[in-house]
Amino acid sequence: MFAPVEPAEGKQDYAAALTQLRAFVAQKEMESNTRLPSERELCESLGVSRGELRKALAILESEGQVWRHVGKGTFVGQRPLEDIGDVTALTSQTNPSEVMRARLLIEPAICREAALNATSTDILEMRLCLVRAREAHTWRQYENWDNRFHRSIVQGARNNLLVGLFDTLNAVRRAVVWGRLRPNNNAPEPSHHSFAEHDAIVAAIETRDIEKAGSAMQTHLMSVERKLRAGD
Protein backbone atom coordinates (compact mmCIF):
# COMPACT_ATOMS: atom_id res chain seq x y z
CA MET A 1 0.00 0.00 0.00
CA PHE A 2 2.86 2.36 0.75
CA ALA A 3 5.01 3.95 -1.94
CA PRO A 4 8.40 2.25 -2.27
CA VAL A 5 11.50 4.35 -2.06
CA GLU A 6 13.20 4.33 -5.43
CA PRO A 7 16.97 4.34 -5.09
CA ALA A 8 18.77 6.27 -7.79
CA GLU A 9 21.19 3.39 -8.30
CA GLY A 10 19.53 0.51 -10.08
CA LYS A 11 16.41 2.45 -10.99
CA GLN A 12 17.02 1.91 -14.70
CA ASP A 13 17.07 -1.85 -14.12
CA TYR A 14 13.30 -1.95 -13.97
CA ALA A 15 12.37 1.18 -15.97
CA ALA A 16 11.82 -0.84 -19.15
CA ALA A 17 9.87 -3.50 -17.26
CA LEU A 18 7.65 -0.81 -15.74
CA THR A 19 6.95 0.75 -19.15
CA GLN A 20 6.10 -2.63 -20.67
CA LEU A 21 3.92 -3.64 -17.74
CA ARG A 22 1.96 -0.37 -17.92
CA ALA A 23 1.43 -0.94 -21.66
CA PHE A 24 0.37 -4.56 -21.07
CA VAL A 25 -2.32 -3.57 -18.55
CA ALA A 26 -3.53 -0.65 -20.71
CA GLN A 27 -3.69 -2.65 -23.95
CA LYS A 28 -5.65 -5.48 -22.38
CA GLU A 29 -8.19 -2.97 -20.98
CA MET A 30 -8.67 -5.21 -17.98
CA GLU A 31 -11.62 -4.68 -15.67
CA SER A 32 -10.98 -3.96 -12.00
CA ASN A 33 -10.08 -7.10 -9.98
CA THR A 34 -9.06 -9.04 -13.10
CA ARG A 35 -6.22 -11.39 -12.19
CA LEU A 36 -2.96 -10.82 -14.06
CA PRO A 37 -1.04 -13.76 -15.51
CA SER A 38 1.50 -15.42 -13.22
CA GLU A 39 4.91 -13.80 -12.75
CA ARG A 40 6.48 -16.52 -14.90
CA GLU A 41 4.03 -15.84 -17.73
CA LEU A 42 4.48 -12.08 -17.46
CA CYS A 43 8.27 -12.42 -17.53
CA GLU A 44 8.03 -14.49 -20.71
CA SER A 45 5.51 -12.14 -22.35
CA LEU A 46 7.40 -8.95 -21.48
CA GLY A 47 10.92 -10.32 -21.83
CA VAL A 48 12.03 -9.17 -18.38
CA SER A 49 13.60 -10.84 -15.36
CA ARG A 50 11.65 -11.85 -12.25
CA GLY A 51 13.42 -9.19 -10.19
CA GLU A 52 12.65 -6.42 -12.70
CA LEU A 53 9.02 -7.51 -12.89
CA ARG A 54 8.59 -7.50 -9.13
CA LYS A 55 10.01 -3.98 -8.85
CA ALA A 56 7.62 -2.82 -11.59
CA LEU A 57 4.68 -4.50 -9.85
CA ALA A 58 5.62 -2.76 -6.59
CA ILE A 59 5.49 0.63 -8.33
CA LEU A 60 2.08 -0.08 -9.87
CA GLU A 61 0.81 -1.29 -6.50
CA SER A 62 2.03 1.90 -4.82
CA GLU A 63 0.08 3.87 -7.45
CA GLY A 64 -3.08 1.92 -6.73
CA GLN A 65 -3.18 0.36 -10.20
CA VAL A 66 -2.75 -3.23 -9.04
CA TRP A 67 -3.01 -5.10 -5.75
CA ARG A 68 -1.49 -8.36 -4.63
CA HIS A 69 -2.84 -11.15 -2.45
CA VAL A 70 -0.36 -13.73 -1.20
CA GLY A 71 -1.26 -17.13 -2.56
CA LYS A 72 -3.84 -15.77 -5.01
CA GLY A 73 -1.93 -13.49 -7.37
CA THR A 74 -1.91 -9.91 -8.63
CA PHE A 75 -5.10 -8.12 -9.60
CA VAL A 76 -5.91 -4.97 -11.59
CA GLY A 77 -7.31 -1.94 -9.79
CA GLN A 78 -7.42 -0.89 -6.16
CA ARG A 79 -7.44 -3.35 -3.30
CA PRO A 80 -11.00 -4.30 -2.29
CA LEU A 81 -12.33 -2.91 0.97
CA GLU A 82 -12.00 -6.20 2.80
CA ASP A 83 -8.29 -6.32 1.90
CA ILE A 84 -7.48 -2.74 2.97
CA GLY A 85 -8.43 -3.27 6.57
CA ASP A 86 -11.43 -3.15 8.83
CA VAL A 87 -13.26 -0.23 7.25
CA THR A 88 -16.65 -1.94 7.30
CA ALA A 89 -17.43 -0.45 10.69
CA LEU A 90 -16.44 3.01 9.46
CA THR A 91 -18.67 2.80 6.40
CA SER A 92 -21.66 1.78 8.51
CA GLN A 93 -21.15 4.70 10.89
CA THR A 94 -20.61 7.54 8.40
CA ASN A 95 -22.35 9.22 5.47
CA PRO A 96 -21.45 11.16 2.30
CA SER A 97 -21.53 14.48 4.15
CA GLU A 98 -18.93 13.31 6.68
CA VAL A 99 -16.80 11.85 3.91
CA MET A 100 -16.75 15.17 2.07
CA ARG A 101 -15.93 17.06 5.27
CA ALA A 102 -12.98 14.73 5.87
CA ARG A 103 -11.80 15.22 2.31
CA LEU A 104 -12.01 19.00 2.66
CA LEU A 105 -9.87 18.83 5.79
CA ILE A 106 -7.25 16.42 4.44
CA GLU A 107 -6.85 16.70 0.66
CA PRO A 108 -6.00 20.42 0.39
CA ALA A 109 -3.16 19.82 2.87
CA ILE A 110 -2.00 16.83 0.82
CA CYS A 111 -2.11 18.99 -2.30
CA ARG A 112 0.15 21.57 -0.66
CA GLU A 113 2.62 18.81 0.17
CA ALA A 114 2.50 17.64 -3.44
CA ALA A 115 3.37 21.17 -4.59
CA LEU A 116 6.47 20.89 -2.44
CA ASN A 117 7.55 17.34 -3.22
CA ALA A 118 6.05 16.01 -6.46
CA THR A 119 8.56 14.75 -9.01
CA SER A 120 8.32 15.21 -12.77
CA THR A 121 7.13 11.60 -12.98
CA ASP A 122 4.34 12.33 -10.49
CA ILE A 123 3.22 15.32 -12.54
CA LEU A 124 3.26 13.28 -15.76
CA GLU A 125 0.97 10.76 -14.06
CA MET A 126 -1.39 13.56 -13.00
CA ARG A 127 -1.49 14.91 -16.55
CA LEU A 128 -2.14 11.43 -17.96
CA CYS A 129 -5.15 11.18 -15.65
CA LEU A 130 -6.44 14.54 -16.90
CA VAL A 131 -6.26 13.38 -20.51
CA ARG A 132 -7.82 9.98 -19.89
CA ALA A 133 -10.64 11.43 -17.77
CA ARG A 134 -11.58 13.72 -20.67
CA GLU A 135 -11.50 10.74 -23.05
CA ALA A 136 -13.76 8.59 -20.84
CA HIS A 137 -16.79 7.16 -22.61
CA THR A 138 -18.70 6.28 -19.43
CA TRP A 139 -19.08 7.69 -15.94
CA ARG A 140 -17.48 4.55 -14.55
CA GLN A 141 -14.37 5.14 -16.66
CA TYR A 142 -14.30 8.79 -15.65
CA GLU A 143 -14.60 7.97 -11.94
CA ASN A 144 -11.79 5.43 -12.18
CA TRP A 145 -9.48 8.05 -13.74
CA ASP A 146 -10.69 10.65 -11.25
CA ASN A 147 -9.82 8.29 -8.42
CA ARG A 148 -6.39 7.65 -9.92
CA PHE A 149 -5.87 11.40 -10.32
CA HIS A 150 -6.48 12.12 -6.65
CA ARG A 151 -4.23 9.26 -5.63
CA SER A 152 -1.46 10.54 -7.90
CA ILE A 153 -1.53 13.76 -5.88
CA VAL A 154 -1.04 11.99 -2.55
CA GLN A 155 1.68 9.94 -4.22
CA GLY A 156 3.33 13.24 -5.16
CA ALA A 157 3.26 14.35 -1.53
CA ARG A 158 5.97 11.71 -0.94
CA ASN A 159 4.73 10.78 2.53
CA ASN A 160 3.96 7.11 3.17
CA LEU A 161 1.72 7.82 6.15
CA LEU A 162 -0.40 10.20 4.09
CA VAL A 163 -0.72 7.51 1.42
CA GLY A 164 -2.04 5.10 4.03
CA LEU A 165 -4.47 7.63 5.46
CA PHE A 166 -5.69 8.57 2.00
CA ASP A 167 -6.24 4.93 1.02
CA THR A 168 -8.36 4.36 4.11
CA LEU A 169 -10.42 7.50 3.46
CA ASN A 170 -10.76 6.56 -0.19
CA ALA A 171 -11.92 3.04 0.68
CA VAL A 172 -14.69 4.53 2.81
CA ARG A 173 -15.53 7.03 0.07
CA ARG A 174 -15.87 4.25 -2.50
CA ALA A 175 -18.25 2.34 -0.23
CA VAL A 176 -20.34 5.32 0.90
CA VAL A 177 -20.40 7.63 -2.13
CA TRP A 178 -19.68 5.39 -5.12
CA GLY A 179 -22.86 3.41 -4.45
CA ARG A 180 -24.65 5.86 -6.73
CA LEU A 181 -22.66 5.12 -9.91
CA ARG A 182 -24.19 6.60 -13.01
CA PRO A 183 -25.30 4.52 -16.01
CA ASN A 184 -22.45 3.25 -18.13
CA ASN A 185 -23.96 4.68 -21.33
CA ASN A 186 -23.33 8.25 -20.14
CA ALA A 187 -20.17 10.28 -19.70
CA PRO A 188 -19.31 13.73 -18.31
CA GLU A 189 -20.02 16.64 -20.61
CA PRO A 190 -16.93 18.50 -21.91
CA SER A 191 -18.01 21.41 -19.72
CA HIS A 192 -18.02 19.31 -16.55
CA HIS A 193 -16.66 21.40 -13.68
CA SER A 194 -13.98 18.90 -12.67
CA PHE A 195 -11.93 19.24 -15.86
CA ALA A 196 -11.00 22.90 -15.40
CA GLU A 197 -10.64 22.42 -11.63
CA HIS A 198 -8.28 19.49 -12.07
CA ASP A 199 -6.25 21.52 -14.57
CA ALA A 200 -5.88 24.31 -12.00
CA ILE A 201 -4.71 21.86 -9.33
CA VAL A 202 -2.00 20.37 -11.52
CA ALA A 203 -0.86 23.80 -12.76
CA ALA A 204 -0.39 24.96 -9.16
CA ILE A 205 1.52 21.81 -8.21
CA GLU A 206 3.73 22.07 -11.29
CA THR A 207 4.63 25.70 -10.52
CA ARG A 208 5.27 24.87 -6.83
CA ASP A 209 2.60 27.33 -5.71
CA ILE A 210 1.79 25.76 -2.34
CA GLU A 211 -1.08 27.98 -1.27
CA LYS A 212 -2.68 28.03 -4.72
CA ALA A 213 -2.49 24.24 -4.88
CA GLY A 214 -4.31 23.87 -1.58
CA SER A 215 -6.86 26.50 -2.57
CA ALA A 216 -7.48 24.87 -5.96
CA MET A 217 -8.13 21.51 -4.31
CA GLN A 218 -10.49 23.09 -1.79
CA THR A 219 -12.40 24.82 -4.59
CA HIS A 220 -12.70 21.54 -6.46
CA LEU A 221 -13.93 19.57 -3.44
CA MET A 222 -16.48 22.24 -2.61
CA SER A 223 -17.84 21.90 -6.15
CA VAL A 224 -18.01 18.13 -5.69
CA GLU A 225 -19.85 18.60 -2.41
CA ARG A 226 -22.40 20.96 -3.99
CA LYS A 227 -23.04 18.50 -6.83
CA LEU A 228 -23.37 15.65 -4.34
CA ARG A 229 -25.95 17.56 -2.30
CA ALA A 230 -27.85 18.46 -5.45
CA GLY A 231 -27.85 14.85 -6.60
CA ASP A 232 -26.00 15.65 -9.85
Side-chain angles (χ1 to χ4, degrees):
M1 181 171 66
F2 293 157
V5 176
E6 299 182 28
E9 183 178 352
K11 184 175 181 180
Q12 294 303 317
D13 292 345
Y14 63 89
L18 179 59
T19 298
Q20 292 181 66
L21 184 59
R22 286 189 198 278
F24 178 85
V25 173
Q27 288 170 3
K28 297 294 183 180
E29 296 185 346
M30 296 176 173
E31 295 290 334
S32 184
N33 292 328
T34 298
R35 185 180 181 276
L36 289 176
S38 68
E39 289 187 358
R40 180 183 60 78
E41 293 173 306
L42 282 174
C43 287
E44 292 177 356
S45 297
L46 304 179
V48 299
S49 70
R50 183 69 64 91
E52 291 168 345
L53 176 66
R54 287 179 173 173
K55 288 179 181 178
L57 285 170
I59 295 296
L60 289 192
E61 185 175 27
S62 76
E63 295 174 353
Q65 297 185 52
V66 302
W67 61 279
R68 289 182 280 186
H69 191 295
V70 177
K72 292 185 179 180
T74 303
F75 300 84
V76 175
Q78 290 206 327
R79 188 178 298 276
L81 298 181
E82 61 269 22
D83 275 59
I84 291 178
D86 187 14
V87 299
T88 304
L90 286 174
T91 61
S92 66
Q93 296 171 19
T94 191
N95 55 62
S97 179
E98 289 187 349
V99 171
M100 285 308 308
R101 181 60 182 162
R103 293 187 70 189
L104 280 162
L105 289 169
I106 294 172
E107 291 193 52
I110 288 174
C111 205
R112 287 192 285 270
E113 286 297 301
L116 273 175
N117 301 312
T119 66
S120 58
T121 301
D122 294 325
I123 294 170
L124 284 174
E125 169 69 9
M126 294 174 202
R127 292 207 169 278
L128 171 65
C129 294
L130 299 184
V131 172
R132 295 298 172 81
R134 279 187 164 92
E135 294 174 345
H137 297 296
T138 67
W139 272 104
R140 188 182 299 273
Q141 289 177 358
Y142 165 79
E143 286 166 343
N144 285 335
W145 281 107
D146 174 75
N147 182 70
R148 180 167 162 180
F149 170 71
H150 283 273
R151 198 179 192 281
S152 72
I153 292 173
V154 70
Q155 194 71 36
R158 295 289 150 187
N159 183 311
N160 288 336
L161 182 56
L162 287 178
V163 173
L165 290 171
F166 176 86
D167 281 347
T168 300
L169 173 59
N170 199 39
V172 175
R173 177 175 76 95
R174 287 160 57 197
V176 174
V177 180
W178 278 24
R180 62 188 233 1
L181 286 173
R182 301 166 177 88
N184 278 339
N185 60 336
N186 293 326
E189 295 292 332
S191 60
H192 192 262
H193 70 92
S194 67
F195 296 137
E197 291 166 2
H198 285 173
D199 288 343
I201 291 168
V202 177
I205 292 173
E206 193 167 21
T207 57
R208 307 299 179 186
D209 191 326
I210 299 169
E211 292 309 314
K212 192 171 182 179
S215 177
M217 177 60 78
Q218 185 173 25
T219 296
H220 170 56
L221 293 177
M222 289 175 68
S223 293
V224 173
E225 183 178 35
R226 285 195 298 271
K227 294 290 184 180
L228 185 63
R229 290 183 183 277
D232 293 341

